[in-house]
Structures are given as structure tokens and as C-alpha cells.
Amino acid sequence: MPAAISPTVRQRRLRVELRKARDEASLTQEQVAERLDWSLSKVIRIESGAVNISTTDLRAMLAFYGVAEERINELVQLAKAARERTWWSGYKKILSQQYYDLIGYESAAGIIRQYENLIIPGLLQTQEYAQEYLKNDLPPEHSTDAEALVDVRMRRQEILEIDEGPKVFFVLDEAVVHRQIGGPGVMRDQLRHLIEMTNRSHITIEVVPFTAGANPGLRGSFTILEFPSAEDDDVLHLESPGFMRVTRDLQDAVVTYRERFERLREVSLKPEGTAVLLNRLADSL
């Protein structure tokens, strides 16, 4: 799925272009707000992508920056495309903004690299595993959202089924494949699902064994998303219990985590050793 299809990626491109145009016009956010008779918070929220911008406001902003009419028309079309509905739009009420953004970037990625040290990654979870995990993870006041959140996880996995989908690399701490979520039967089916997924040419799964000792993965789980177009910077997603963050602009951090990911692969059991471990664990349940 090409990156241009994702409204999330289009929104990011628009945000970058708006900041660039203001910088080239040597204007501050305060000056823009004063000239257009907007609140400063409105300008900040537009540039951060926290809110969509109307066509009228976009034209007014770009005209003030001195942007050529042809370029204004291009950015107006980009803004309209960024507002298109997606399948995950229907779940926006139950998703955090960070999770919502992650799905948008994930759907457009050409390469996904994910390290997980607690649970099976959502893209690899069976429905039963996801149900059991979410049932116990959600606070009581959000328990009614569990079924919808399971649906979200299952729909996210569709990117692994399409011919033009991303290449995906998963590195898991060994604790992930030992932790029995849902009991022996659920875990056995989950491990067998992982084994089946390792047979797909575009999916690589590797486990970092306990014997690796201290390693770069002890700091927490993370995902790096890379896009087909060179104009779209990589996205870093950080997650730990009660915390989720999507970092779009700190490319130095992306480089650091990419290096960490490769170091984890170096101390892993490699795909072959991982397959042996998964088969042994599944047979023991």
C-alpha cells in the first residue's frame, strides 16, 4: 500500500509544508495569528497536525506567506486528501490519538521493524490471544471497548496479507513467547500462528534468548516505520505500560533505535533458531 494512500502521511506532509512556507516567509506563529486574526493556539494546532485546516483558512495562510497560486492549489488538494475517511476512522472514539496515528503510519509503511519485550506484537496476535490480553489490560470503565479493540487488531493485520504490503521484521524477547496469556491452549495456538508467519517471505521473526543477558531491548518496546517515498521521514513509536508516543520529527532518535534494533538482531537466535524454539514451546503445551 503506497504511502500516498494514507491520510495520516498526507497530514504530516501538509504540516511540514506549512512550517516550511512560514519559515521561508520569515514569519513567527504570533505574526501569523495577528495578521489572520486567529488565536495563537489555532496556528500552533494547525502546524502540529492536532486539527484539520479548512480550505479557506489554508488559502488565507498560504497567500499571506506569499506562496504561488499553483502551489497553493496543490496543498489544498493535499489537505482534502488528508481528510479522507479510512477503516480506522470508525474507531476514533475508542483509540488514543497516538494509537490512531500509529495505525495510519503503519498502513502506509514499506518496512516495519518492531521490538517487543512484553507481549506478542498486535500484528501477530491471534484473536483469542488479543481477547484475553485486552480483557485483562483495560481498566473497568473501558471494558466495553474490548471487542472493538480486538477488531482493530485483526484489521491491522490485513497489511500482512496483501501483495504490496510491507516487509516486516519482528524481534521478541524470549519472555514474550513463554508468557502464557489465555492459558496453554490459547498460547499453543498463538505459537503455532507465529510459526506459520515465519514461513512468509516478507515476515521475519527472531527471539532474543534469556542467555543474551543484558541487551539493548531492556529499555522497552519500540517500532520503526519506514515509507516508500524519500520525502517521508521514518516514524518511531515507543510504548511501555501506560505510555505510548509517536515521534515523527526527531530523526536522531530514529537512528539510535534503528542501531538498537540491529544490535538486538545480532544477539537473537536468528530466524532458524527462533523456529526451533517456537516449535519446542508449542509442542510442550
Side-chain angles (χ1 to χ4, degrees):
M1 183 178 297
I5 289 180
S6 171
T8 307
V9 173
R10 288 166 170 162
Q11 175 62 40
R12 181 170 68 154
R13 288 183 184 175
L14 178 63
R15 177 174 54 82
V16 170
E17 290 298 328
L18 288 177
R19 288 183 180 178
K20 180 180 176 182
R22 179 172 59 78
D23 288 342
E24 291 178 346
S26 299
L27 294 167
T28 65
Q29 291 176 324
E30 289 80 3
Q31 289 172 320
V32 175
E34 182 178 359
R35 173 64 176 79
L36 298 177
D37 196 24
W38 295 349
S39 67
L40 177 59
S41 65
K42 177 176 179 177
V43 177
I44 294 173
R45 288 170 65 81
I46 287 173
E47 287 196 357
S48 68
V51 296
N52 288 322
I53 183 171
S54 69
T55 298
T56 300
D57 285 349
L58 180 58
R59 287 189 178 278
M61 177 180 275
L62 294 173
F64 178 45
Y65 296 164
V67 176
E69 184 65 24
E70 181 179 357
R71 183 57 177 158
I72 290 178
N73 290 334
E74 291 175 355
L75 293 177
V76 166
Q77 292 305 311
L78 182 62
K80 290 180 178 179
R83 293 195 292 269
E84 290 179 359
R85 286 187 60 81
T86 60
W87 69 257
W88 57 91
S89 299
Y91 296 91
K92 191 164 188 177
K93 289 184 179 180
I94 65 168
L95 300 177
S96 68
Q97 186 61 52
Q98 291 84 0
Y99 192 13
Y100 190 85
D101 288 345
L102 171 65
I103 296 171
Y105 290 127
E106 189 178 73
S107 71
I111 299 176
I112 299 174
R113 297 178 177 88
Q114 181 172 0
Y115 169 72
E116 178 60 61
N117 68 350
L118 293 175
I119 62 169
I120 303 294
L123 289 175
L124 295 175
Q125 291 178 7
T126 63
Q127 184 167 338
E128 293 75 15
Y129 183 102
Q131 288 171 336
E132 187 67 22
Y133 171 72
L134 288 169
K135 180 179 69 176
N136 290 279
D137 179 64
L138 291 174
E141 63 269 24
H142 294 294
S143 60
T144 55
D145 295 334
E147 184 176 350
L149 289 171
V150 171
D151 289 341
V152 170
R153 295 204 177 196
M154 296 303 103
R155 294 207 62 178
R156 284 173 56 202
Q157 295 177 9
E158 293 175 5
I159 64 172
L160 302 181
E161 304 296 332
I162 55 179
D163 293 337
E164 66 273 26
K167 288 185 67 66
V168 190
F169 300 87
F170 296 100
V171 177
L172 314 177
D173 186 87
E174 187 173 351
V176 172
V177 295
H178 281 279
R179 182 172 291 111
Q180 287 192 22
I181 291 180
V186 171
M187 197 63 198
R188 180 174 57 249
D189 290 343
Q190 175 64 76
L191 292 171
R192 287 175 175 167
H193 178 64
L194 293 183
I195 294 166
E196 191 276 327
M197 298 300 276
T198 63
N199 294 323
R200 303 190 183 191
S201 60
H202 63 294
I203 298 175
T204 300
I205 301 176
E206 299 172 88
V207 168
V208 175
F210 291 136
T211 54
N215 63 74
L218 298 180
R219 293 189 179 185
S221 304
F222 60 91
T223 303
I224 304 169
L225 302 110
E226 182 178 326
F227 305 97
S229 175
E231 64 182 298
D232 295 313
D233 290 337
D234 296 351
V235 165
L236 173 64
H237 169 250
L238 302 175
E239 186 171 1
S240 60
F243 170 81
M244 180 183 290
R245 178 185 179 191
V246 178
T247 302
R248 296 162 289 189
D249 303 310
L250 302 178
Q251 290 306 297
D252 287 346
V254 173
V255 172
T256 297
Y257 276 88
R258 176 62 190 281
E259 292 173 346
R260 186 173 296 175
F261 189 80
E262 295 306 321
R263 287 164 57 199
L264 286 164
R265 294 193 70 187
E266 289 175 2
V267 298
S268 78
L269 295 174
K270 307 299 185 291
E272 298 78 11
T274 295
V276 171
L277 173 64
L278 295 177
N279 276 287
R280 176 171 60 80
L281 291 175
D283 290 343
S284 69
L285 293 173

